[in-house]
Tab-separated table of all heavy atoms in Angstrom:
chain	number	residue	atom	x	y	z
X	60	GLY	N	0.310	34.780	22.940
X	60	GLY	CA	-0.064	35.282	21.624
X	60	GLY	C	0.878	34.873	20.523
X	60	GLY	O	0.991	35.550	19.499
X	61	VAL	N	1.566	33.727	20.689
X	61	VAL	CA	2.519	33.269	19.672
X	61	VAL	C	1.763	32.685	18.484
X	61	VAL	O	0.604	32.280	18.596
X	61	VAL	CB	3.502	32.228	20.253
X	61	VAL	CG1	4.295	32.818	21.399
X	61	VAL	CG2	2.762	30.968	20.695
X	62	LYS	N	2.408	32.638	17.338
X	62	LYS	CA	1.782	32.118	16.124
X	62	LYS	C	1.579	30.616	16.239
X	62	LYS	O	2.466	29.876	16.655
X	62	LYS	CB	2.640	32.439	14.909
X	62	LYS	CG	1.994	32.014	13.592
X	62	LYS	CD	2.859	32.381	12.399
X	62	LYS	CE	2.206	31.927	11.103
X	62	LYS	NZ	3.003	32.274	9.912
X	63	ALA	N	0.401	30.166	15.866
X	63	ALA	CA	0.098	28.734	15.854
X	63	ALA	C	0.669	28.103	14.591
X	63	ALA	O	1.342	28.756	13.797
X	63	ALA	CB	-1.407	28.530	15.930
X	64	GLY	N	0.374	26.819	14.394
X	64	GLY	CA	0.778	26.148	13.172
X	64	GLY	C	2.188	25.620	13.166
X	64	GLY	O	2.749	25.362	12.102
X	65	GLN	N	2.801	25.431	14.342
X	65	GLN	CA	4.130	24.849	14.433
X	65	GLN	C	4.125	23.788	15.519
X	65	GLN	O	3.354	23.868	16.479
X	65	GLN	CB	5.177	25.917	14.745
X	65	GLN	CG	4.874	26.749	15.988
X	65	GLN	CD	5.822	27.915	16.143
X	65	GLN	OE1	7.022	27.754	16.108
X	65	GLN	NE2	5.259	29.108	16.321
X	66	PRO	N	4.951	22.758	15.387
X	66	PRO	CA	5.001	21.723	16.416
X	66	PRO	C	5.546	22.276	17.727
X	66	PRO	O	6.276	23.273	17.750
X	66	PRO	CB	5.962	20.675	15.829
X	66	PRO	CG	6.037	20.979	14.377
X	66	PRO	CD	5.838	22.452	14.251
X	67	VAL	N	5.196	21.637	18.827
X	67	VAL	CA	5.762	21.960	20.133
X	67	VAL	C	7.024	21.125	20.311
X	67	VAL	O	7.021	19.922	20.031
X	67	VAL	CB	4.764	21.643	21.261
X	67	VAL	CG1	5.368	21.953	22.628
X	67	VAL	CG2	3.475	22.422	21.052
X	68	GLN	N	8.103	21.765	20.767
X	68	GLN	CA	9.352	21.047	21.027
X	68	GLN	C	9.813	21.300	22.455
X	68	GLN	O	9.750	22.427	22.962
X	68	GLN	CB	10.453	21.477	20.057
X	68	GLN	CG	10.280	20.897	18.660
X	68	GLN	CD	11.540	21.030	17.818
X	68	GLN	OE1	12.312	21.964	18.007
X	68	GLN	NE2	11.740	20.109	16.905
X	69	VAL	N	10.240	20.240	23.088
X	69	VAL	CA	10.833	20.307	24.420
X	69	VAL	C	12.246	19.770	24.293
X	69	VAL	O	12.451	18.640	23.830
X	69	VAL	CB	10.031	19.468	25.436
X	69	VAL	CG1	10.645	19.578	26.821
X	69	VAL	CG2	8.571	19.919	25.456
X	70	THR	N	13.228	20.574	24.691
X	70	THR	CA	14.637	20.224	24.499
X	70	THR	C	15.364	20.225	25.838
X	70	THR	O	15.256	21.194	26.602
X	70	THR	CB	15.308	21.232	23.550
X	70	THR	OG1	14.563	21.299	22.325
X	70	THR	CG2	16.733	20.802	23.235
X	71	ALA	N	16.077	19.153	26.110
X	71	ALA	CA	16.808	19.021	27.373
X	71	ALA	C	18.287	19.310	27.166
X	71	ALA	O	18.880	18.950	26.153
X	71	ALA	CB	16.633	17.615	27.930
X	72	SER	N	18.882	19.969	28.162
X	72	SER	CA	20.327	20.189	28.218
X	72	SER	C	20.839	19.624	29.536
X	72	SER	O	20.184	19.759	30.577
X	72	SER	CB	20.660	21.685	28.134
X	72	SER	OG	20.181	22.231	26.917
X	73	GLY	N	22.009	18.992	29.488
X	73	GLY	CA	22.579	18.425	30.701
X	73	GLY	C	21.863	17.192	31.177
X	73	GLY	O	21.926	16.857	32.373
X	74	GLY	N	21.196	16.503	30.298
X	74	GLY	CA	20.486	15.287	30.672
X	74	GLY	C	19.542	14.854	29.580
X	74	GLY	O	19.664	15.270	28.422
X	75	THR	N	18.554	14.036	29.932
X	75	THR	CA	17.607	13.498	28.959
X	75	THR	C	16.181	13.694	29.441
X	75	THR	O	15.920	13.926	30.620
X	75	THR	CB	17.859	12.004	28.705
X	75	THR	OG1	17.745	11.301	29.957
X	75	THR	CG2	19.230	11.772	28.105
X	76	ILE	N	15.262	13.576	28.500
X	76	ILE	CA	13.828	13.631	28.787
X	76	ILE	C	13.306	12.207	28.930
X	76	ILE	O	13.589	11.351	28.091
X	76	ILE	CB	13.080	14.362	27.658
X	76	ILE	CG1	13.569	15.808	27.537
X	76	ILE	CG2	11.575	14.322	27.883
X	76	ILE	CD1	13.081	16.498	26.282
X	77	THR	N	12.562	11.956	29.985
X	77	THR	CA	11.986	10.622	30.164
X	77	THR	C	10.501	10.590	29.827
X	77	THR	O	9.965	9.545	29.459
X	77	THR	CB	12.201	10.127	31.600
X	77	THR	OG1	11.636	11.083	32.521
X	77	THR	CG2	13.689	9.976	31.899
X	78	ALA	N	9.803	11.714	29.944
X	78	ALA	CA	8.372	11.768	29.603
X	78	ALA	C	7.950	13.223	29.419
X	78	ALA	O	8.463	14.114	30.092
X	78	ALA	CB	7.527	11.111	30.681
X	79	VAL	N	7.000	13.441	28.500
X	79	VAL	CA	6.446	14.776	28.274
X	79	VAL	C	4.937	14.664	28.151
X	79	VAL	O	4.420	13.777	27.456
X	79	VAL	CB	7.026	15.428	26.999
X	79	VAL	CG1	6.307	16.737	26.698
X	79	VAL	CG2	8.520	15.673	27.142
X	80	THR	N	4.231	15.567	28.805
X	80	THR	CA	2.783	15.663	28.671
X	80	THR	C	2.432	17.084	28.250
X	80	THR	O	2.848	18.050	28.896
X	80	THR	CB	2.069	15.342	29.998
X	80	THR	OG1	2.416	14.020	30.405
X	80	THR	CG2	0.557	15.437	29.824
Side-chain angles (χ1 to χ4, degrees):
V61 300
K62 184 179 179 179
Q65 54 188 308
V67 179
Q68 285 195 330
V69 181
T70 305
S72 300
T75 58
I76 298 169
T77 56
V79 173
T80 301

